[in-house]
Amino acid sequence: MIYRDAAEKIKASELPLLPQRRYVVAGFNALSDCEKVLFDHLKNAYEADFAWDYSDYYYQSEVQEAGRFMRQNIERYPSTLSISHTNLTKNITKLTVASTATSVAQCSYVSQILQQIAGRNEDGTIKPFDRNTAIVLTDENLLVPLLYALPQDIKGKQADGRDGVNVTMGYPLKATFAYSFVERLLELQSHVREKDGEELFYYVDVEGLLTHHYLSDKGSESIALLRKQIAEERIYNVPKSMLGVLPFAESIFTTVSSAEGLIEYIDNALKQILALTEAREENRVEIEYIVRISTALRQLLNMVRSCNIELTIKLCTSLIRRHLQSVRVPFEGEPLEGLQIMGILETRNLDFKNVIILSMSESNFPGTK
């Protein structure tokens, strides 16, 4: 929007004069129409230099589609800067293709590759990776399996306190355990019944929650006995009194009567899980997901209250799903240190000595969209 506003003002001769200084344009490839108007203005009215990062391998051959935009850019905005463009032609590039049975199996194979190329300390431990090695995920859903598969001496804190891994990509919340837990809660509430003044829960929803990653190890003995009783007695609708033996029953196996109550119910259930989750290093990512969902739910609750509209529970359920499915969890780290993990979009204008690309198949690279 800012680009477009500037471009329209340039065309109408309404843009205020910029300070007379040297301007350098760097880090671009495929230019939008607005950028072209702005760059033309800088080129014609001011002292402007244009820096283009490319390889002669792509640029000099018309057959190479990857050099298409760069050839157009250099013709329109020639560079006066002296930059080497022989990095792909002078360096020996070794490509290795590996086929794996499943997507997740790739993550274990990445761990093997990293151990092969890693430097070693005198005691045999792996040296911290520098910023010259990147793992590129064409399928963002592989981020969590990859983080679990990395060796602890690579992904853990280094001796100087720095992170061994830097993740520079957003991860969709809908692919996490935290979101699947919310889905279980929504399904539980959609099928709840009442008979003789007692709340009854559909056995499939109860089973789904009791076997969920977040609850399966919380009071595991009582859960096992309860599941056995439900199966042996073939209980179709599980009464709330029967679930009271569980430590988390009060916050999870209860009913709601309003849209606001539904949001608060899910938020309270997540807080209960957060309280039961140990603050260990391997749980750090899961805790972050829960906190993100809780924050998103509070935002949704505030919006519902500010609109002053009476929502049905069914409509609120749909809103919760749509809102959470659009949320992405940003990861922050130190981009100048450690092993770099990123998506395709984040690789633009970056160079690495070692690049490991996962799921490089037709459906992912490029994607079907």
Side-chain angles (χ1 to χ4, degrees), residues 283-332:
N283 293 334
R284 186 177 62 172
V285 174
E286 286 297 331
I287 291 173
E288 175 69 15
Y289 295 149
I290 295 173
V291 171
R292 288 282 173 176
I293 289 184
S294 183
T295 302
L297 289 173
R298 300 308 300 181
Q299 292 172 343
L300 183 60
L301 181 60
N302 291 335
M303 285 188 283
V304 169
R305 286 172 174 169
S306 64
C307 291
N308 200 25
I309 299 175
E310 195 69 34
L311 295 178
T312 64
I313 293 179
K314 185 176 180 180
L315 180 57
C316 186
T317 299
S318 178
L319 279 176
I320 291 172
R321 284 190 171 120
R322 293 193 64 175
H323 183 49
L324 294 183
Q325 287 174 4
S326 66
V327 175
R328 300 176 69 84
V329 182
F331 287 84
E332 297 177 356

Side-chain angles (χ1 to χ4, degrees), residues 43-58:
K43 175 185 174 183
N44 298 329
Y46 301 92
E47 181 187 359
D49 288 329
F50 297 87
W52 305 109
D53 185 15
Y54 60 91
S55 171
D56 287 335
Y57 177 80
Y58 297 107

Side-chain angles (χ1 to χ4, degrees), residues 103-166:
S103 295
V104 177
Q106 296 176 95
C107 302
S108 299
Y109 190 61
V110 167
S111 177
Q112 297 178 32
I113 295 172
L114 292 175
Q115 297 197 53
Q116 291 171 8
I117 65 176
R120 298 281 174 173
N121 296 312
E122 292 183 359
D123 59 358
T125 57
I126 296 176
K127 287 183 178 180
F129 273 85
D130 55 23
R131 57 180 176 180
N132 289 323
T133 299
I135 301 175
V136 181
L137 304 180
T138 64
D139 180 3
E140 58 195 8
N141 294 321
L142 287 177
L143 178 58
V144 171
L146 175 65
L147 292 176
Y148 278 111
L150 291 178
Q152 188 60 41
D153 47 1
I154 291 179
K155 66 181 178 181
K157 290 281 185 182
Q158 305 302 321
D160 55 6
R162 296 177 298 183
D163 284 329
V165 172
N166 174 51

